[in-house]
Amino acid sequence: MRKISRALALTAAVAAVLTTGPAATGTAEAASARTPVVFVHGYLSDAAIWGSARTAFRSAGYKDSELFSYTYDFLSSNEASARGLAGFVAKVKKDTGAQKVDIVNHSMGGLVSLWYAKELGGTADIEHMASLAGSNHGTYTAGLCTVVSASCGEMTPGSAFLGRLASGDETPGAVDYRTWYSPCDGVINPFTSTVLDGAVNILLPCVTHLGFLTDEGLLSQVASYLKA
């Protein structure tokens, strides 16, 4: 009788392990899964400008393996840079196994990101898009560099590039769009150029153009938004 009881107890213990073990493991893995972030810099910049953002995102729980910085030739056409971004995102998805990415852009990076989303079918690969002082409708400051770069010509208000980008839906697809902008920007002129119809647009009281890249409170807010 004791042998039978011990056998029944052992059978129950094994059954408990088989039914609860995998489920618990799966839950832990699901909880740790996070959409990878792709940072897209602006004019006169490169991947190095995202140092403070990476620090803020790591403090928010992100791993370095979940953070990626896209570098492109800012003198070239934004259309060409957007095509490069499409290839970069495809590689990030392949390397991480993720279905989508989150994009965080700054300044002219907003044009590169939006062209990728709207004109190259990128909405299928993007979950969130955060635009920090993005030149989403251009900036008159670009008039200072139109003679040296195609990208500045496209970034000048009234350009054919901006006209096409602003036509129809400014925030296409199922992407969650959010922008941050400030009257103290000093580079995006007018500063309201960042605002996108259909996005959640957040007005900050006073942040300079480069300050968007170093403001710890703002960067932590962006990280929290993407994690939500």
Side-chain angles (χ1 to χ4, degrees):
M1 187 69 175
R2 276 186 238 164
K3 289 184 180 180
I4 294 175
S5 298
R6 284 198 297 270
L8 290 173
L10 178 59
T11 300
V14 171
V17 170
L18 291 176
T19 55
T20 62
T25 301
T27 301
E29 289 177 352
S32 65
R34 187 174 287 116
T35 303
V37 177
V38 174
F39 296 106
V40 184
H41 65 78
Y43 194 74
L44 294 178
S45 298
D46 56 29
I49 68 164
W50 296 111
S52 296
R54 284 176 167 271
T55 297
F57 274 62
R58 284 194 294 268
S59 296
Y62 280 86
K63 303 174 183 176
D64 283 326
S65 59
E66 298 167 331
L67 304 174
F68 301 84
S69 298
Y70 170 55
T71 298
Y72 61 95
D73 179 5
F74 53 77
L75 297 176
S76 298
S77 165
N78 287 296
E79 293 185 38
S81 299
R83 289 193 294 272
L85 176 58
F88 188 83
V89 168
K91 186 176 187 307
V92 168
K93 289 176 57 183
K94 179 180 179 181
D95 291 347
T96 62
Q99 296 299 310
K100 294 188 176 185
V101 303
D102 289 333
I103 290 181
V104 179
N105 62 62
H106 176 252
S107 195
M108 194 175 74
L111 299 183
V112 175
S113 303
L114 288 173
W115 192 271
Y116 162 55
K118 188 169 183 177
E119 301 295 332
L120 303 180
T123 55
D125 297 321
I126 306 170
E127 188 167 346
H128 299 85
M129 185 183 295
S131 185
L132 312 182
S135 57
N136 300 329
H137 292 98
T139 172
Y140 287 105
T141 307
L144 300 173
C145 56
T146 54
V147 295
V148 296
S149 64
S151 58
C152 277
E154 294 168 343
M155 192 163 47
T156 303
S159 71
F161 176 89
L162 290 174
R164 179 169 172 180
L165 200 57
S167 64
D169 190 355
E170 290 192 346
T171 51
V175 180
D176 189 321
Y177 296 85
R178 188 165 297 194
T179 78
W180 284 260
Y181 66 113
S182 171
C184 295
D185 187 300
V187 173
I188 302 303
N189 177 25
F191 72 93
T192 52
S193 171
T194 299
V195 174
L196 291 171
D197 186 23
V200 174
N201 300 292
I202 301 173
L203 175 63
L204 301 176
C206 196
V207 180
T208 64
H209 194 63
L210 293 180
F212 279 90
L213 299 168
T214 58
D215 188 297
E216 294 181 9
L218 167 60
L219 295 172
S220 296
Q221 183 183 144
V222 176
S224 297
Y225 155 62
L226 297 183
K227 286 175 61 181

